[in-house]
Amino acid sequence: MTNKDKVDRRAPGVRVPERPALAVPPRPRLHLLGSRFALMPSLWAWPLVLSVLLVAGVMIWLQAKEVADREAQRADMISDALSLEAQITNRLDEETNKLRALADVIQSRPMSQDAFARHALVLDGLRRFWVSLTWLGDDGRILAHVPDDSMPAHDAARNIGDEVGMAGHLSVSLAGHDEHPGGMLVARYSAGALLRQKVPWWLAAKYDIRLVDESDEVIASTVDGPRHPMQAWYRVSMAPSLPNAWLELASRERITPWWRTMPMALMGGFVVLLGIASVMLRKQMHSVSRAEEAWRTEAAWRSAMEDSLAVGIRARDMQGRLVYVNKTMADMVGYQPDELIGLMPPMPYWVPHELEQSMSRHLRNMAGKAPREGYESRWQHRDGTEVDVMVFEAPLVDAKGMQIGWMASVLNVTERKHMEERERKQMETMAHHARLTMLGEVASTLAHELNQPLSAIASYNAGLLNALGARDDMDPQIMKALQRMGEQAAHAGRIVKRIREFLTRREPRREPCNIMGVIESGVSLLKRDLSRHDVHVSIQGDPHLPEVVADPVLIEQVVVNLVRNASDALSTQAGERRIHVSAAPAGRFVRVSVTDNGPGLQGQRGDRLFAPFYSTKAEGMGMGLAICRSIIELHYGVLDAEEAPERGAVFSFSLPIDAADHGVDQADSREVDA
């Protein structure tokens, strides 16, 4: 039996269609006035014509873009200049207020020249950018001048304000008697120092910034040398803070004329290359015209194409019967083409537990509603393995233009999907580990760098206590404040040390400690923030509360973090703001709860809140609660979050009770905790 007469035994009466011959397409011709003209010889010039039009459009676009870039650059320059001018003006206003505060001190009590020169406000102003400070009497005489030229050259009060370059002046009048001025304070400041202090680094990197007078003389500048003639610049007046002075911003970014840009050079080369390609295309088209005469028959061409394709092809009639499949399609599902041709749904390669879904998809495709962009499906190989495929359906028409079925291209995407899933999981894991590693390195470096300034603060404080302790006239409050400062510096050093040990995965220093003392110490560190947010904190603890086994420094940081988070949640709330911290025994544990009357968890789950890099704050890093959970888990405890019974949120954690305090075996306690 020939292939033409072959009939599938599982579908009687169905014939396998004979492959029709593919006729050689005639050369395109234009019919005009009864004559036919071949179009092939003239097609080669069209790419060159279109490329010239494209180049013209690009030239117009580049010119418009250059104009837009210059306008945007000028708008940014004006905005930055006005912003910097406002910052400098505000700084000068602040300096005037500080000078006025010094005037109030002078008017409140008599002051000698030496006391004037050593006053904290005077020394602080010279440390900033004051060059000198003069105290004039009501008769115009100089009562005091800092720095004093008679001071030794090595004196700190004289050298503290030295500055070269042009300067400005700030003045404040002193109130006298009978409505007559009682003198004046005149502060001369360095314009260069002012410019260096108030110009942000990102602005200095973007612009050359200068202060110039009306004669274009440079008063102060962030760069050396004059402005380049090709630089775009903008000036804004500094009056009335700096009369006759202008703030000039010169952009370091230079906009290249459109005709000198890289796109123009590329387009020029593109036109030249396209001209050469057009000539070669003309020759090639003549070669193709000659080659058309030697084409093979459709059967040989189609057979070669099918053997080389990696895409499965299937054809179905209007009833959904398979009338053709190629070898690639048959190999996808483990059958021979002859075994599939003539089958009606359900197909043997459909997944058994998805038969209803597959039949619904089949009926949709037969109705002509298959997605044009294709759809994904899952088939089953003959050996039982599942195959993910991408199917693209298209109408199958005969020579008369009538639809006789559906033609589909099938791509095997199983390996690609597996690879994409593996890559996605790998990338997520790598990104997560990279973020954690980077954060650990940054935090460890920061903890290391903070040790030096904290040690210096503690050393200076100890020196001051030793030096001032020998004096009989010292104010006890000052000595108490210095002692408190030393204690806080030492406490900060311990915190940095424990955090560094925690980041390097060392075991916490567990010791019996009073949890109420730890809570009160942590809350005391936040008194200023709590007072600023108008938050009332109450602490409640059982008087017979046993000691817990914990690292007090790390647990204090957990308390500080939870109370600060509650304070931040209450900061935008109108009305009463309350935080209640309580501690109570719970079996072999002590449970500490931080309750607020804020907006609550707002539907967030605890595991989501404690996840690294997740934060509900716009400026948050999302590591606070994650670190807190790690600290509590290192202490064999649990950190929880839940909605408060009335309103707000409750964050609580548990710590094991000291075994010696309650007669409990420590090993047994840890086993239960685990």
Side-chain angles (χ1 to χ4, degrees):
M1 187 186 311
T2 64
N3 189 41
K4 180 177 179 180
D5 299 328
K6 184 177 180 180
V7 178
D8 192 285
R9 288 173 293 180
R10 290 165 297 165
V14 178
R15 294 182 178 273
V16 179
E18 182 184 5
R19 298 175 180 176
L22 181 63
V24 176
R27 179 183 300 176
R29 292 180 179 273
L30 174 66
H31 295 266
L32 183 62
L33 300 177
S35 302
R36 292 188 300 173
F37 300 91
L39 295 180
M40 292 292 288
S42 61
L43 290 179
W44 65 270
W46 280 102
L48 184 60
V49 174
L50 295 176
S51 65
V52 172
L53 295 177
L54 176 63
V55 170
V58 171
M59 292 171 61
I60 296 173
W61 174 75
L62 288 175
Q63 187 176 13
K65 185 176 183 298
E66 178 186 352
V67 174
D69 289 345
R70 293 188 183 278
E71 292 178 354
Q73 183 188 50
R74 180 169 179 80
D76 291 343
M77 198 182 308
I78 292 174
S79 175
D80 293 337
L82 293 176
S83 175
L84 183 57
E85 184 270 336
Q87 295 181 35
I88 295 176
T89 300
N90 291 337
R91 182 60 182 272
L92 292 177
D93 292 341
E94 293 175 3
E95 296 299 323
T96 302
N97 292 334
K98 294 177 181 178
L99 193 61
R100 188 172 290 108
L102 179 60
D104 294 339
V105 174
I106 295 174
Q107 293 172 165
S108 64
R109 62 177 183 272
M111 183 179 293
S112 64
Q113 293 184 4
D114 184 65
F116 176 80
R118 300 296 177 180
H119 196 277
L121 291 175
V122 176
L123 296 178
D124 186 51
L126 294 177
R127 286 189 184 94
R128 292 191 299 274
F129 56 85
W130 293 0
V131 178
S132 66
L133 181 63
T134 305
W135 179 9
L136 300 176
D138 56 358
D139 55 357
R141 291 186 303 168
I142 298 177
L143 300 181
H145 179 77
V146 180
D148 190 354
D149 294 335
S150 64
M151 292 181 181
H154 63 273
D155 194 285
R158 177 174 180 178
N159 296 329
I160 201 168
D162 287 349
E163 181 70 34
V164 296
M166 302 189 69
H169 297 81
L170 299 173
S171 62
V172 172
S173 298
L174 299 173
H177 301 285
D178 301 330
E179 298 182 357
H180 293 286
M184 179 178 294
L185 290 177
V186 179
R188 187 164 66 94
Y189 61 87
S190 169
L194 174 63
L195 199 61
R196 287 195 303 273
Q197 293 183 19
K198 291 311 295 180
V199 175
W201 64 268
W202 59 268
L203 204 61
K206 187 177 180 181
Y207 301 104
D208 295 339
I209 303 174
R210 300 177 178 87
L211 281 175
V212 299
D213 58 14
E214 293 183 341
S215 302
D216 285 346
E217 292 293 333
V218 178
I219 300 174
S221 175
T222 59
V223 295
D224 297 329
R227 183 181 69 248
H228 193 276
M230 297 299 294
Q231 281 185 291
W233 57 277
Y234 180 78
R235 288 180 180 177
V236 60
S237 175
M238 294 297 299
S241 301
L242 291 175
N244 302 325
W246 298 79
L247 178 64
E248 177 184 293
L249 269 66
S251 178
R252 294 184 179 180
E253 180 184 3
R254 301 179 187 177
I255 298 178
T256 307
W258 65 271
W259 48 272
R260 292 175 53 187
T261 57
M262 180 62 70
M264 281 304 303
L266 295 176
M267 294 303 294
F270 170 72
V271 172
V272 173
L273 293 176
L274 198 58
I276 298 174
S278 298
V279 175
M280 298 177 64
L281 180 61
R282 185 170 182 271
K283 295 180 179 180
Q284 185 67 21
M285 291 177 69
H286 285 294
S287 299
V288 171
S289 298
R290 292 191 297 267
E292 286 179 352
E293 315 240 331
W295 281 1
R296 298 181 178 270
T297 61
E298 182 275 340
W301 173 82
R302 181 172 175 177
S303 176
M305 180 187 67
E306 291 178 358
D307 293 339
S308 63
L309 279 180
V311 179
I313 299 176
R314 74 176 181 189
R316 296 182 292 180
D317 60 15
M318 298 300 294
Q319 287 75 37
R321 181 183 291 106
L322 283 173
V323 295
Y324 171 74
V325 293
N326 67 346
K327 188 69 167 60
T328 304
M329 162 70 186
D331 291 340
M332 285 185 189
V333 294
Y335 293 89
Q336 293 298 323
D338 295 338
E339 295 177 296
L340 296 175
I341 294 176
L343 293 180
M344 290 284 291
M347 300 300 177
Y349 49 83
W350 286 2
V351 180
H353 61 272
E354 296 181 359
L355 288 179
E356 293 184 2
Q357 181 179 355
S358 299
M359 182 59 72
S360 175
R361 187 186 302 115
H362 166 75
L363 296 176
R364 179 201 64 186
N365 297 340
M366 290 296 100
K369 298 180 180 179
R372 300 191 57 175
E373 65 276 9
Y375 61 91
E376 290 188 9
S377 181
R378 181 178 291 110
W379 291 347
Q380 181 172 308
H381 194 272
R382 196 169 192 171
D383 59 7
T385 60
E386 293 185 352
V387 181
D388 292 312
V389 295
M390 190 75 181
V391 183
F392 300 86
E393 296 276 2
L396 179 64
V397 297
D398 60 6
K400 299 180 181 179
M402 296 182 61
Q403 182 177 353
I404 59 174
W406 299 93
M407 178 69 72
S409 299
V410 184
L411 297 177
N412 189 345
V413 296
T414 305
E415 191 63 27
R416 188 192 72 184
K417 291 180 70 67
H418 291 170
M419 186 178 299
E420 289 176 353
E421 182 65 19
R422 288 195 300 269
E423 291 178 354
R424 184 185 65 81
K425 292 181 179 179
Q426 184 178 6
M427 291 300 295
E428 290 179 354
T429 303
M430 292 176 61
H432 181 71
H433 290 171
R435 289 196 297 267
L436 291 176
T437 302
M438 180 183 66
L439 182 62
E441 293 175 354
V442 170
S444 180
T445 303
L446 181 61
H448 174 73
E449 295 296 332
L450 285 177
N451 278 329
Q452 296 181 0
L454 287 175
S455 299
I457 292 172
S459 299
Y460 283 128
N461 184 74
L464 283 174
L465 286 173
N466 293 333
L468 298 179
R471 298 179 59 177
D472 298 329
D473 57 343
M474 284 306 300
D475 188 350
Q477 292 186 353
I478 295 179
M479 296 297 295
K480 184 178 180 180
L482 289 175
Q483 292 174 357
R484 182 60 177 167
M485 184 174 70
E487 294 173 359
Q488 292 299 321
H491 185 62
R494 291 194 298 272
I495 291 175
V496 170
K497 182 179 179 181
R498 293 299 174 83
I499 290 177
R500 188 178 181 188
E501 292 177 352
F502 174 73
L503 292 172
T504 54
R505 296 190 179 276
R506 298 181 184 175
E507 286 294 322
R509 299 182 179 179
R510 302 184 185 91
E511 59 187 30
C513 60
N514 185 352
I515 188 62
M516 293 305 299
V518 174
I519 294 173
E520 292 172 357
S521 176
V523 173
S524 65
L525 296 176
L526 300 173
K527 283 185 177 179
R528 180 171 298 178
D529 291 338
L530 296 172
S531 177
R532 185 174 69 251
H533 292 157
D534 194 20
V535 176
H536 175 70
V537 178
S538 59
I539 302 176
Q540 179 184 0
D542 192 326
H544 304 292
L545 199 65
E547 291 186 335
V548 297
V549 180
D551 188 325
V553 176
L554 292 180
I555 298 304
E556 182 183 68
Q557 296 309 303
V558 175
V559 173
V560 168
N561 200 320
L562 296 181
V563 175
R564 182 187 290 115
N565 286 348
S567 176
D568 293 341
L570 293 171
S571 60
T572 58
Q573 174 177 295
E576 185 181 10
R577 303 171 182 175
R578 301 190 313 273
I579 297 177
H580 180 67
V581 185
S582 62
R588 295 184 178 181
F589 294 84
V590 170
R591 192 160 197 84
V592 180
S593 300
V594 178
T595 307
D596 62 72
N597 64 334
L601 301 182
Q602 299 178 344
Q604 299 290 338
R605 302 192 314 273
D607 55 349
R608 181 62 171 164
L609 292 172
F610 301 146
F613 304 107
Y614 175 79
S615 176
T616 58
K617 305 176 185 177
E619 69 281 1
M621 294 180 60
M623 290 303 299
L625 290 176
I627 294 176
C628 289
R629 183 176 65 174
S630 299
I631 293 175
I632 297 302
E633 289 177 351
L634 283 175
H635 288 78
Y636 310 106
V638 177
L639 178 64
D640 293 323
E642 60 184 357
E643 297 284 353
E646 297 180 358
R647 179 187 177 189
V650 180
F651 285 80
S652 59
F653 61 90
S654 57
L655 295 172
I657 296 175
D658 184 9
D661 193 21
H662 266 60
V664 180
D665 184 75
Q666 182 69 20
D668 294 342
S669 177
R670 290 191 178 185
E671 183 178 356
V672 172
D673 296 342

